[in-house]
Amino acid sequence: MAMLLKGAEVAKALTEGLHAKTEELKKNGVEPCLAILRVGAREDDLAYERGALKRCEKVGVAVRQVVLPEDVTQEVLMENIHALGVDEKVHGVLMFRPLPGHLDDEAARAALDPKKDMDGITDGSMTAVYAGTKGGYPPCTAAACVALLKHYNIPIKGKRVVVIGRSLVIGKPVSLLLLAEHATVTICHSRSENLPEICREADILVVAAGKAGMVGAESVRAGQVVLDVGIHVGADGNLCGDTRFAEVEPVVEAITPVPGGVGTVTSTILASHVVEAAERAASK
Ligand code: NAP
């Protein structure tokens, strides 16, 4: 039986450390504050927002919710992004995407200050992840994968990592973050040939394909650590991941459950980015 890498344990441990930091900041007159900018009311966004509100409260981060109507104009959206950018009381901004189709996503992202971009959506944040500099923050889910491995003391340095997925949200940033931790990283995608064979070579397999149950027993071997990033509502109405858990779990050494794995850590990483942004602002 594989060891279950439970996100709640990681979130709890991180929250304790973060809470101490927010207390310290507050003693010095700084209240870490996250602004959540949401257009419309997509169910995905609402679910993420609920998780973020709960976690920020536990950590001691204030949250300002800015909700714009589904048919908001580009002009009003940009005004709101600029207002949050210049507001010194706001240390970080989470802007939900995709935006409704009539809005210019590139312009909206470009208007956000990378120093306040908590989920790695600006070009500046992506450059920081690529270059390994401190100019921005990585996407929270990608950073959550690394936090999980570190919490469970799973060695990364020198290990063979295979990532399935090359999106800007997960696949690419998690690959770069693990490369920065000195892993040897292979990135796979929908045109990769011999995918199961490549997966079996991994010490750590990160599955972020967005395809329910695509990874099964054929792609794993004993001794591996599997991080399942996928989230889907299965045919039975229950949440499931990108792996066929019942097939993979008996074979590998450790695996994240879905739900209760990577996704559970994501909002804590968001809160940690806000605390870091507040600390940086306070140290100026
Ligand atoms: P995405 O933008 O759809 O990207 C999926 C990636 O997987 C693409 O690079 C695609 O390759 C690759 N892929 C798709 N089918 C494949 C196949 N059969 N074989 C190999 N590669 C394949 O998805 P995403 O935004 O990265 O999200 C991935 C998953 O994570 C989704 O299930 C999403 O719901 C979940 N998610 C979880 C969290 C969390 O907190 N846990 C947060 C965000 C997202 P190509 O580039 O060739 O198309």
Side-chain angles (χ1 to χ4, degrees):
M1 248 177 64
M3 174 188 179
L4 286 187
L5 306 174
K6 292 185 184 160
E9 283 183 23
V10 186
K12 186 167 179 275
L14 291 175
T15 297
E16 281 164 16
L18 289 169
H19 190 261
K21 287 185 177 183
T22 57
E23 288 294 295
E24 197 56 36
L25 281 162
K26 284 174 192 172
K27 267 190 222 153
N28 295 317
V30 179
E31 181 172 41
C33 177
L34 168 71
I36 296 183
L37 179 55
R38 167 162 59 79
V39 179
R42 290 175 61 234
E43 193 39 57
D44 285 5
D45 296 346
L46 293 173
Y48 191 172
E49 192 169 313
R50 282 192 293 274
L53 285 168
K54 215 165 110 187
R55 187 55 57 181
C56 284
E57 191 186 346
K58 283 190 176 148
V59 166
V61 166
V63 179
R64 191 186 299 176
Q65 288 163 280
V66 179
V67 180
L68 303 175
E70 177 84 24
D71 61 354
V72 68
T73 61
Q74 185 75 26
E75 198 185 349
V76 172
L77 173 65
M78 298 299 270
E79 278 168 16
N80 275 276
I81 297 172
H82 284 300
L84 294 172
V86 295
D87 189 333
E88 288 186 1
K89 291 213 159 81
V90 172
H91 301 100
V93 178
L94 174 69
M95 181 172 76
F96 286 122
R97 295 161 63 241
L99 295 165
H102 68 282
L103 295 170
D104 182 343
D105 176 78
E106 200 176 330
R109 288 193 302 109
L112 187 60
D113 179 351
K115 288 197 286 299
K116 290 193 177 185
D117 168 19
M118 299 291 97
D119 201 18
I121 64 170
T122 59
D123 290 355
S125 299
M126 292 183 211
T127 305
V129 173
Y130 183 87
T133 57
K134 289 271 178 199
Y137 300 87
C140 296
T141 305
C145 292
V146 181
L148 252 155
L149 293 172
K150 288 192 170 174
H151 175 84
Y152 284 102
N153 292 318
I154 293 165
I156 304 173
K157 187 173 163 184
K159 297 299 172 189
R160 180 80 192 266
V161 172
V162 171
V163 177
I164 307 181
R166 57 176 165 179
S167 74
L168 286 174
V169 183
I170 302 165
K172 279 181 188 160
V174 79
S175 301
L176 288 166
L177 293 175
L178 291 168
L179 180 66
E181 297 290 335
H182 310 294
T184 303
V185 183
T186 301
I187 306 174
C188 301
H189 46 80
S190 63
R191 324 290 159 83
S192 297
E193 292 179 1
N194 307 323
L195 188 63
E197 194 180 314
I198 299 170
C199 291
R200 287 196 304 271
E201 286 170 12
D203 299 305
I204 300 169
L205 177 62
V206 182
V207 191
K211 293 268 159 25
M214 73 157 274
V215 166
E218 74 294 338
S219 300
V220 294
R221 60 164 173 79
Q224 287 183 311
V225 173
V226 177
L227 302 187
D228 187 347
V229 184
I231 306 179
H232 314 272
V233 180
D236 57 1
N238 292 323
L239 289 180
C240 62
D242 283 356
T243 60
R244 299 197 289 282
F245 188 85
E247 271 181 42
V248 172
E249 184 271 338
V251 179
V252 301
E253 180 148 333
I255 184 168
T256 55
V258 179
V262 177
T264 312
V265 184
T266 300
S267 59
T268 311
I269 297 294
L270 172 68
S272 79
H273 288 171
V274 182
V275 173
E276 199 178 323
E279 285 178 335
R280 283 188 202 173
S283 70
K284 275 198 187 147

